[in-house]
Amino acid sequence: MEEQHHTEQTKKKKKPFFIKLLTGIFWLVLFVVLLLLAGFIFSALHKKNSLSMLPPDYSLHLHMDNAWKAVNPLVDLEAADIILSQPQFLSLRPAFMSWRTSALRQNKLVALAASRKIDAALYTENSFTDFIAVVDLSFLSLATRLLPLYKSLINVENLYYIETTLHPGVEKFFAFHVSNDMTIYIKPIQNTLVLSSNLELFERAITIDNSSDYTKDALMLIKTKTENPIHVIANASKLSSTLLTSTEDNYMLSQLLPLIKENTFSLISFGITDSRIKAEANIPLDPPENSSLSRLVTSPSKLPSLPVRLSDRVQYYTLINAGSLEELKNAAFPLLPPEKKIDSLWSTGNSLCKALFNTSLEDLLFSWSGNEFAVLGMEGVDNPVFAIQVKDEKQRQKIFDRVISSIIVKSDTSLIVDGMRLPQLMLPSFLQALLGAFNINLPSAYYYVHDGYIYLSLSPEPLSALYSSSAAGSFIAMKEEWKDVQPRLTRGTSLSLFYNLAQSTPFFLRNDNVLTQILDLYTIGRTDLALGNSNLSLTLNAVSRRSGDLRSLNGFPLELLGKPSPYTIAKQTKDGPFIFWLEDQTKLSALNTVTKEKTELTLPDPCFITENTSASDDSYCIWASTRRGEVYLINSCLQIKAGFPITLSSTPSADASAFAGGLAVPLSNSSLALVGTNGKTRYVELPLFGSLKAAPGVLGENIALYDKSIMGSIFIVKNGVCINEDAPMEVNGIAFGSPALMEQKGSLLTAFITQSGELSLWRDGRMETGFPKQLEGIFFHNLVASDSYFYALSSDARLFRISPKGEVLIVQIPNASAENPFLCVLEPNKNKVSHVYVCPDGNAIYGFNEKLELLTAFPLAGWGTPSFMDTNGDKRAECFTVSMNNTLNAWNLR
């Protein structure tokens, strides 16, 4: 009994093997989890201050609490395209474009990993690309802390691990070779990842504790909370020197630079989307006692009264509200370039004024004028309007009467425009010379006085329009575009610019740099500069408002050395997005729109190119057929496929067309050559009475050909066989081009129009009821087809839409003829929505939807047939054209 009891206890104590295995796995997993948890906690707590690795002598400091939320929306901005189109960043463009379209942007784990705090600084002493970025990895730094264990396993192209000392204190780090001009140095330090494009800055970041070099004011600005996801701190003096560079256009503004203290930091409130940009900066000033600007800088600006009084006819204005005319004169004259000789001009004018009018120049100008001075521009009017606030109307009238009564100044009060009398005053030469120093040309002025302001212009028309619209109660403050950029001012403004880039270009957009190119995207804007209380305040509000929002892509238009053929081919290839075009009929060019790399291939004879639409070999994307009968198949690097060129049995009689099986080439020996991507060629003999004079019409495997003769015929070739050789479709009359094909309910529709306008439609070779149909006009181009309609273009530039049932819709293209036109149907966004594109005689391309409504942004500059491709990853196709003036154009149609 005892032995039996002992055996039963032993059985109870023993556990099955799989239970032991599961228990062991559990404790192992628990151990690993606890170990990782401990590692994560240690990594999160064992921290280094990011600011300690950023030397404070930066030009710009960016702080992001969550890099993913801050940066991910910016990836799709058009401003990013501009930055990456700069030569120093071109090498980063392919990776950026790949990331823009990557599905990883929707991955939550990627978002979690990228939701890190980042501090970055830009240093512009030597180069615009010198930066330091410090990424706070927090608990994820466990991966970088363990880097020595697996660094040998990292295999990334152009990324190298360097263990030797390249610079004092710099060792055991990564170097990522971006281009010949840029290398980014990377080193993990505790919870951070430090990156820099400059080795000396890199050394300062990782070997020196820079936190003690920050002033209290700088630290306070850095810690200030803002609504924007990106916190921007700027070195005020360096930022201003960038914005107010010493050029002729803004020489006076550049003189503000000495007023700004060195190493004075400013908080910039900044927000940007594709439709709007906002920016605001406040810069403390410390004007020298002897500065001519001291009076303006220390006196607070006032709110101007003029803007709300302006007519809605005003498209742009510049308003100065910094002080009286005398104060402005005292402040501005010392700042003008010496070559202007402004003091001499003033002295001469003052002497002449006393001699001629018995009054000083100061009384002539200062005694009646107020504090607001503006230049106004209106659409369709070349001459601007000048507005001056009148503080004393009686004194103004007295001065004007005195000037007019003199024998040297002529006045004319006889002009009446729209019931309004507009006096004209001939300005004396010394006043013209003074105005000329400020680039104002006003030899004579029509004028009127209204509501406390005098308005002057070289011509009467803008004055009449200005007064009429104001009298009717139409003011600029009611316009949506003005409201969109009107800031909520709580203080005055010394200088205000309201601009529309379609009409004017403000001074700060006349320099060609990255910043101005970005601001140029926002076409309507308002900039306010306020001086007062030893502070300079800059405010910018701008919105994107363009007709069709049409813009040239960066780097376009591209000047061509030769005469282009009237078509481009846009193609997404395995090597990236490419544009192909032909110059001087022999030179084939390819441009990678991401890297901007251009390659060329010169063929021995004049040729025609078309896109390879065959699915059997899409790596070779271009067909080229020469006049001598040689056919080439070419890839995006302009390399000719092995086995090509193919020499045909006869010379081509017309341009070739690509179809699903390869390339169809009409030959002068009454046959059709079908060239496959494998180099094999089949010939289809055709019973022609005339000849093939146009590129075949194609739809899938179907090829339609027009035998051009007095008794014309249409043949259909499919799978290498002419399927209607015994019963061709007969054509009454001469025509141009080839038939258009459409599939409908399993049937093949063939449509054709003669030069005289006789429209025929066959269904599977039999004439449809209601056809032939007569269209009014002469037609030098044949029909094209979408999935639902046929389109025709008459010589007087009328576009016809014809349904398979014979219903016709017509639209007239204004002021155009179409004797040598181009007509095509394309699907720009590959979304089964087709548009028809028309290039009548001239350098303009029109785009219409299926309702024959003109597409937004059209017409645009171009000749021939356009092509479309999404080159910047925004899922909207850009338009590419060539022009008669030998340029390659690229239009962003969003």
Side-chain angles (χ1 to χ4, degrees), residues 555-571:
F556 294 90
L558 185 69
E559 297 291 335
L560 306 180
L561 298 178
K563 180 176 177 56
S565 297
Y567 40 76
T568 60
I569 298 172
K571 182 81 171 177

Side-chain angles (χ1 to χ4, degrees), residues 734-794:
I734 295 295
F736 296 86
S738 291
L741 301 176
M742 179 192 299
E743 285 186 342
Q744 190 181 75
K745 297 179 180 180
S747 296
L748 180 67
L749 302 184
T750 306
F752 194 75
I753 190 168
T754 65
Q755 182 179 2
S756 61
E758 182 176 292
L759 172 64
S760 301
L761 179 64
W762 296 270
R763 182 182 293 271
D764 295 329
R766 288 186 289 272
M767 185 73 72
E768 280 282 78
T769 304
F771 292 89
K773 187 180 187 69
Q774 187 66 41
L775 298 185
E776 184 179 348
I778 299 173
F779 296 82
F780 292 103
H781 195 291
N782 223 289
L783 302 166
V784 294
S786 67
D787 291 337
S788 305
Y789 298 100
F790 297 98
Y791 299 91
L793 182 67
S794 64

Side-chain angles (χ1 to χ4, degrees), residues 39-40 43 137-150 188:
F40 284 141
S43 299
L137 297 174
S138 186
F139 67 93
L140 295 179
S141 64
L142 177 62
T144 57
R145 294 172 194 263
L146 299 176
L147 188 62
L149 301 178
Y150 62 88

Side-chain angles (χ1 to χ4, degrees), residues 379-457:
E379 185 176 4
V381 179
D382 292 332
N383 295 311
V385 173
F386 299 90
I388 303 174
Q389 186 181 46
V390 178
K391 69 178 180 182
D392 189 337
E393 172 57 21
K394 289 184 178 180
Q395 179 65 14
R396 184 206 64 80
Q397 188 65 56
K398 178 182 176 182
I399 291 294
F400 273 48
D401 290 343
R402 180 176 296 180
V403 171
I404 292 170
S405 63
S406 69
I407 60 173
I408 194 173
V409 176
K410 296 180 180 179
S411 176
D412 185 356
T413 60
S414 62
L415 181 64
I416 299 177
V417 180
D418 294 335
M420 178 185 183
R421 186 177 299 278
L422 291 174
Q424 183 185 29
L425 189 66
M426 305 295 178
L427 299 186
S429 58
F430 63 85
L431 275 182
Q432 294 183 43
L434 280 171
L435 293 174
F438 297 92
N439 298 322
I440 298 174
N441 180 28
L442 197 66
S444 64
Y446 293 92
Y447 68 93
Y448 75 90
V449 180
H450 177 69
D451 200 15
Y453 293 85
I454 182 171
Y455 301 89
L456 309 96
S457 181

